[in-house]
Amino acid sequence: MSSQSFTAVLLLLSGNTEGLPWDTPPWQALTKIHGLPWITEESASEDASSSIISEWTVCIAWSVQSFAETVWQKQSEDGQNRYITKKKIINNDTTGCNAWQKWVSLNQKTWGLNAVIDDTLSAAGRTPQQVLRELETKKLMFFICGYILPTAEEAQIYDLQLQLGEKLFGNAAYQGSSLILKSAVGKFTQMLLTLSWNRYHKTISREHVKMTTVLAEVKETWKALTSEGAQPTSIKIKAFMKDLRRLLALLNKYEDAQSKALVDGYMADMEAMLVVICHEPGSEESNKLPKALQDALSNLASEEDILAISQDILALLENIQAADGSERVDVDLEEHLSIKEWREEGDKCAFMPYAEMHGKG
């Protein structure tokens, strides 16, 4: 579904007559804002600080309130959204519109909405990684065309509007004693989930591009260590470990067969390197490594290098084994994604043959 900006949906929610969202304790706990942002003392002078938003003067707070009332009086949601997000309002609402947009944009990331949304999705098994693991789309090879994240409807994230509404507004989210969301809350939570899911699409596409780039770097550093005539040094080995750590951190977030195979293969290499450093050459594990690399590891002269490389390997193995594959995505709710942008992000995926993907030499 198309999305509005966060500044728009928040202002529209604020236009109800039931104190949402600013008078509800859960929202106040998140935002640290206790009351309508534009409320002022009746006797305050125009240049005094506003009662609720300290960075606004009373005059600016009046301007924001006037702008908000103009928006609420418009009959259609499209008309409201266009008026809120219009780049230049050449009328008396210019000051109020600009102040509202600037204040929301500067503060929304500190309100913890990302964490609330992520935790709601995670508890229900609906994070992007969880969805990709469970649905059939995970069978698409990530390194060929990138993961195709299902639509919000396919992932059934809108089923979580009740949970999200209650986390944000408590019992005030519901109509009476029922488990039916108030209309304004339903629209707000739906748009929050839409904005978040749109951003996940873009994030996963970027991860695909980053992963293919880092994989190429790992292959190059591995080749420098293992090709015929190679002369591995501690500096080159440390460079490989650095690149590998970046790659495995990305791969381990996904549990498709191709990612698992790469993770398992590199973990086996790390274990073999550790065996050689521990002066157990000739073992079954160490013989999996090219001779040049075995010799370089066996002949590490510096105790400092031995300790540093050993610790890097152990830390890497422990991190991969302990990782749960989930990482919070910092979603900019203010930035909404059009369908055109969504498709363009997916089109950036580049073909990489399966054999080349798995080759290390």
Side-chain angles (χ1 to χ4, degrees):
M1 64 176 291
S2 59
S3 63
Q4 295 174 300
S5 68
F6 181 64
T7 53
V9 295
L10 182 57
L11 188 64
L12 295 178
L13 177 64
S14 303
N16 72 89
T17 59
E18 300 174 339
L20 286 167
W22 306 103
D23 289 344
T24 61
W27 185 262
Q28 291 177 347
L30 283 172
T31 64
K32 307 300 186 291
I33 305 298
H34 298 266
L36 287 169
W38 42 82
I39 290 296
T40 60
E41 296 289 341
E42 291 186 7
S43 59
S45 62
E46 291 188 6
D47 58 353
S49 294
S50 173
S51 302
I52 305 296
I53 309 301
S54 60
E55 57 261 47
W56 288 353
T57 63
V58 169
C59 184
I60 290 177
W62 288 345
S63 298
V64 173
Q65 182 177 7
S66 174
F67 162 65
E69 290 172 348
T70 301
V71 171
W72 298 333
Q73 290 169 6
K74 293 188 176 297
Q75 297 300 311
S76 70
E77 289 185 5
D78 285 344
Q80 291 172 328
N81 193 49
R82 283 196 299 271
Y83 197 76
I84 294 170
T85 57
K86 193 174 182 180
K87 298 299 182 184
K88 292 183 179 179
I89 299 178
I90 311 300
N91 55 31
N92 293 334
D93 285 328
T94 301
T95 299
C97 177
N98 292 342
W100 173 256
Q101 291 194 13
K102 180 180 179 181
W103 179 72
V104 174
S105 297
L106 288 176
N107 289 278
Q108 60 97 3
K109 285 187 178 181
T110 70
W111 291 345
L113 292 178
N114 288 322
V116 175
I117 295 169
D118 288 350
D119 291 345
T120 302
L121 292 173
S122 180
R126 307 287 175 80
T127 66
Q129 287 77 21
Q130 289 169 325
V131 169
L132 285 167
R133 287 198 292 265
E134 296 300 326
L135 298 185
E136 289 300 310
T137 51
K138 69 182 181 180
K139 294 182 179 178
L140 291 171
M141 287 176 58
F142 186 77
F143 285 98
I144 291 181
C145 62
Y147 279 128
I148 307 301
L149 186 64
T151 64
E153 290 78 9
E154 290 170 335
Q156 301 174 32
I157 65 169
Y158 297 125
D159 293 352
L160 306 178
Q161 285 180 249
L162 285 176
Q163 294 93 314
L164 182 58
E166 184 168 339
K167 284 186 176 183
L168 294 177
F169 312 121
N171 291 334
Y174 299 116
Q175 297 188 30
S177 60
S178 71
L179 290 179
I180 299 174
L181 290 177
K182 293 173 180 174
S183 176
V185 174
K187 291 177 181 178
F188 184 74
T189 53
Q190 184 181 46
M191 196 53 60
L192 280 186
L193 290 167
T194 298
L195 289 168
S196 295
W197 204 253
N198 286 349
R199 287 297 94 204
Y200 288 135
H201 273 278
K202 199 165 188 176
T203 298
I204 285 181
S205 179
R206 286 171 177 167
E207 281 193 346
H208 166 259
V209 174
K210 182 178 180 180
M211 198 180 294
T212 53
T213 300
V214 176
L215 177 62
E217 292 172 356
V218 167
K219 289 174 62 179
E220 285 300 310
T221 51
W222 180 258
K223 185 177 180 180
L225 295 175
T226 62
S227 60
E228 185 176 352
Q231 296 182 339
T233 65
S234 61
I235 293 176
K236 291 180 181 179
I237 294 171
K238 291 175 183 176
F240 170 74
M241 296 295 301
K242 181 179 178 180
D243 290 341
L244 184 60
R245 188 180 299 110
R246 293 166 57 209
L247 176 63
L248 294 186
L250 288 168
L251 285 174
N252 207 53
K253 293 171 66 175
Y254 301 91
E255 293 187 1
D256 63 293
Q258 288 75 36
S259 295
K260 281 185 175 180
L262 280 172
V263 171
D264 291 345
Y266 281 120
M267 285 184 68
D269 290 337
M270 294 303 96
E271 291 169 355
M273 290 173 66
L274 195 59
V275 168
V276 174
I277 293 175
C278 292
H279 303 293
E280 297 180 21
S283 67
E284 183 178 346
E285 291 83 1
S286 64
N287 285 336
K288 296 176 183 177
L289 297 175
K291 182 70 163 55
L293 182 55
Q294 289 189 50
D295 292 343
L297 292 169
S298 297
N299 295 327
L300 287 174
S302 166
E303 287 293 331
E304 182 179 345
D305 285 340
I306 293 173
L307 181 61
I309 294 174
S310 298
Q311 288 180 336
D312 278 350
I313 293 173
L314 287 171
L316 191 150
L317 293 173
E318 289 173 2
N319 289 342
I320 293 302
Q321 290 166 350
D324 61 4
S326 62
E327 181 176 326
R328 177 158 287 153
V329 177
D330 188 18
V331 179
D332 184 356
L333 294 172
E334 183 56 21
E335 184 183 4
H336 55 290
L337 188 68
S338 68
I339 296 299
K340 180 175 182 293
E341 290 175 314
W342 184 350
R343 289 173 176 167
E344 287 175 350
E345 287 295 329
D347 290 342
K348 292 179 182 178
C349 304
F351 178 82
M352 178 180 287
Y354 183 87
E356 180 183 345
M357 176 186 76
H358 284 77
K360 296 180 186 175

